[in-house]
Amino acid sequence: MFEDLRDLYQEVIFDHNRNPRNFHVMENYDRMVEGFNPLCGDRITLFLKLDDDLITDASFQGSGCAISTASVSLMTEIVKGKTEAEAEALFKTFHEMTTGKDENINFEAVGKLAVLAGVREYPARVKCATLAWHTLDAALKNEQQSISTE
Ligand code: ZN
């Protein structure tokens, strides 16, 4: 990765960690799931508002490392206005990007989430980045009230 691109990515992660977007408890939510990453101690509570299969609002609470906070902050921004199917497809693309299964990052598909591509070089941090998405997945499937990455 080019150095200047890496700097830009870190800048975005720091910004979302300092000023997390959609960081509040949601009133009248449709779904609420707690996500926990015991490897790092990241804890989030994700709230969603749904209109049929459309995600109309997303917010979160919790505490974790910079990667997990930036990831869930970016995710809540990006899934608003997406359908459940679109969000699930994004999760799959994001997962492939962060685990390095897909060598070529599809920048068009992941958009701003590309800033987290660097975690693929740090296997211990992958779960920090994907916690938000595993929690979203559980919320959309509406099967569990809490999930753990382990
Ligand atoms: Zn973490």
Side-chain angles (χ1 to χ4, degrees):
M1 210 179 284
F2 295 113
E3 282 302 316
D4 53 349
L5 192 59
R6 191 187 293 265
D7 287 348
L8 173 72
Y9 283 3
Q10 284 185 350
E11 191 84 359
V12 175
I13 290 168
F14 288 146
D15 175 47
H16 275 266
N17 182 46
R18 268 194 310 261
N19 301 300
R21 317 301 197 271
N22 308 302
F23 186 71
H24 58 85
V25 174
M26 188 185 290
E27 307 274 323
N28 308 314
Y29 57 82
D30 293 304
R31 306 278 165 84
M32 181 186 80
V33 173
E34 288 170 6
F36 179 46
N37 171 21
L39 269 187
C40 180
D42 309 314
R43 272 180 199 282
I44 60 168
T45 304
L46 180 70
F47 303 90
L48 294 181
K49 211 166 268 185
L50 302 172
D51 185 0
D52 283 329
D53 68 340
L54 193 71
I55 301 167
T56 56
D57 202 6
S59 76
F60 76 104
Q61 282 279 279
S63 64
C65 66
I67 301 278
S68 72
T69 303
S71 179
V72 66
S73 172
L74 281 158
M75 185 199 75
T76 54
E77 263 194 336
I78 221 159
V79 299
K80 267 193 223 181
K82 292 219 178 336
T83 64
E84 290 186 28
E86 285 167 342
E88 292 287 359
L90 202 54
F91 172 36
K92 192 168 170 282
T93 309
F94 181 76
H95 197 264
E96 281 166 3
M97 177 186 83
T98 51
T99 52
K101 278 183 196 136
D102 185 357
E103 285 301 314
N104 302 305
I105 297 166
N106 184 343
F107 286 98
E108 210 176 315
V110 295
K112 252 193 192 177
L113 300 174
V115 300
L116 290 161
V119 299
R120 61 165 64 186
E121 292 167 41
Y122 309 94
R125 309 314 297 276
V126 170
K127 283 176 178 163
C128 301
T130 54
L131 173 65
W133 292 88
H134 285 293
T135 310
L136 175 74
D137 185 51
L140 291 176
K141 288 179 176 150
N142 204 17
E143 287 166 349
Q144 331 172 51
Q145 296 306 299
S146 65
I147 63 120
S148 172
T149 55
E150 291 299 300

